[in-house]
Amino acid sequence: MGIEEPSKHSGIVIVGAGLAGWHVIDAIRSKDKEIPITLITADNADRYHKPMLTMAISQDKKPADLVRAAGEQAAKTANVTLLAHTQVSDIDAASQTLQLVSANRSDPANTNDAVINYDKLVLAMGAHPIFPKSLPESLVWHVNHIERFGQLQEKLSTGSQHVVIVGAGMVGTEIAEDLLKAGHKISLIDLNDAPLAQMLPAKATARIRQAIESQGIEFLGGYQVTDVVRNEDDRLEVSYEPLENVQGQANTMTVDHVIASTGLVVDDKLPAAAGIEFNPRTGIVVDAPTLRTNANNVYAIGDCMSIDGVACRYVAPLRAQAATIADDILGHAHAGYDHKPPMIRLKNKAFAVTVVGVPQATGNWQVKTETTDELVMELFDDATDDKAVKATVSLKVPAKPAAKA
């Protein structure tokens, strides 16, 4: 679908057709079947569950296997005007208009005349992978969108290959195990000395590192990638070196693929154009009870927004966030969104990690349970008189079956 004849009065306009955008549509349609909704997205708006991407290759899942509903059909079912393969190039919050550019127009040189109005605007545009200068986007993969996932899956389907994953946070740690199970050789490189070191205490991350390495994953902690180049054999030369406080030597390895898992960033172009309060680190700032931005009639949800200085990049709260936005837009009385940190579960099978609360690497972590195959730790809030528990991490490493005689 293009934008040659966009409606001038589009009612509710949602920018972004990921999980967050579709959740808002579902919430509105559960309360109002007729109010006009326009969905604008740079892709085809197919509905799929993004968290599945980090465990799909070992299951031999292709993009078509992960799509729950094609975008065009989903929009038709929901009575939504879909502007697919379309980008918003500007927001004028004063006149409540959006300027659009479509990839489908036959005259790409003259795309500055497509403008639509909105009564209410919901920004659900997500966040984008960070590519440091040492990881050129033309050579390095990411697994943050189904289209890019499909291209990587096709490349890896030809046989066992050597893959370097840069970044050992949640996503990098999950992908490493998934690709290992698919039969590939995996090297996991991180600035820290253990996976998940930015969110969990050292005692827990040391066990995670041990569990990862026992699977056969090469973990290079305390190293940074300095360059990635393609060689004459069409493979990649990955140069890396230790941090200043880490003993080790600079080295180069030859691999087939590199995947960046180095975090996400929200594009500030549209928030800046609309005069929306924005934090470069965490994204669009919203009022927690309503999820409104400081711009009139503009809301934000999902990966692109933050509450109380914390980025909201988990799937679990989306349904409640979308319900709040729907009620607020439709003028229904509501109690307000009550933001609670979601329970975090890694999808790894070789070990189980569950986190409740707001974890952080440092602080007053105390051991609650410690055995050979289980570790439970609690983070206490020293700033309160009762020293309340701020977070709990539970780590279980299943015992390996005894070797056959």
Side-chain angles (χ1 to χ4, degrees), residues 57-302:
I57 288 179
S58 66
Q59 300 175 13
D60 196 27
K61 299 284 189 181
K62 297 177 175 58
D65 301 319
L66 300 175
V67 172
R68 297 177 174 181
E72 188 171 353
Q73 183 57 49
K76 183 177 180 181
T77 300
N79 186 27
V80 167
T81 299
L82 173 61
L83 303 183
H85 305 293
T86 300
Q87 293 183 331
V88 177
S89 60
D90 193 21
I91 300 174
D92 187 331
S95 63
Q96 297 195 177
T97 58
L98 304 178
Q99 185 168 298
L100 310 180
V101 176
S102 171
N104 289 345
R105 290 180 65 108
S106 59
D107 55 342
N110 299 290
T111 56
N112 60 352
D113 58 347
V115 176
I116 63 171
N117 298 328
Y118 62 84
D119 297 320
K120 304 288 184 178
L121 175 64
V122 181
L123 298 178
M125 55 195 192
H128 307 288
I130 296 172
F131 286 92
K133 291 182 179 180
S134 59
L135 300 177
E137 192 169 352
S138 60
L139 299 177
V140 176
W141 299 95
H142 68 77
V143 186
N144 192 54
H145 190 276
I146 195 168
E147 182 179 358
R148 197 70 172 134
F149 160 83
Q151 295 167 352
L152 175 61
Q153 191 274 340
E154 184 177 357
K155 292 286 187 181
L156 293 175
S157 66
T158 59
S160 179
Q161 298 173 56
H162 187 181
V163 182
V164 164
I165 299 168
V166 183
M170 289 179 59
V171 172
T173 302
E174 290 176 350
I175 296 172
E177 181 178 286
D178 186 56
L179 297 188
L180 181 76
K181 290 166 63 178
H184 303 289
K185 179 181 178 181
I186 306 301
S187 298
L188 182 58
I189 303 177
D190 195 85
L191 297 173
N192 300 286
D193 60 2
L196 305 179
Q198 291 187 326
M199 66 181 292
L200 297 178
K203 192 176 186 68
T205 60
R207 285 204 181 198
I208 294 172
R209 173 172 181 165
Q210 184 178 24
I212 281 180
E213 292 179 330
S214 69
Q215 293 179 267
I217 295 171
E218 179 186 27
F219 182 76
L220 296 170
Y223 283 86
Q224 60 182 351
V225 174
T226 57
D227 198 15
V228 177
V229 297
R230 191 174 298 281
N231 64 19
E232 295 178 352
D233 297 324
D234 204 30
R235 301 187 75 201
L236 298 177
E237 302 287 341
V238 180
S239 300
Y240 58 98
E241 64 183 20
L243 301 180
E244 290 183 2
N245 60 339
V246 176
Q247 290 186 347
Q249 294 182 339
N251 209 337
T252 300
M253 69 172 79
T254 303
V255 304
D256 299 291
H257 301 283
V258 177
I259 299 174
S261 181
T262 47
L264 299 171
V265 65
V266 180
D267 191 338
D268 65 351
K269 180 181 177 181
L270 294 183
I276 292 172
E277 187 177 354
F278 183 84
N279 183 306
R281 186 177 59 85
T282 59
I284 296 170
V285 177
V286 299
D287 170 61
T290 62
L291 303 184
R292 299 175 188 170
T293 70
N294 64 307
N296 289 336
N297 299 314
V298 181
Y299 301 76
I301 183 174

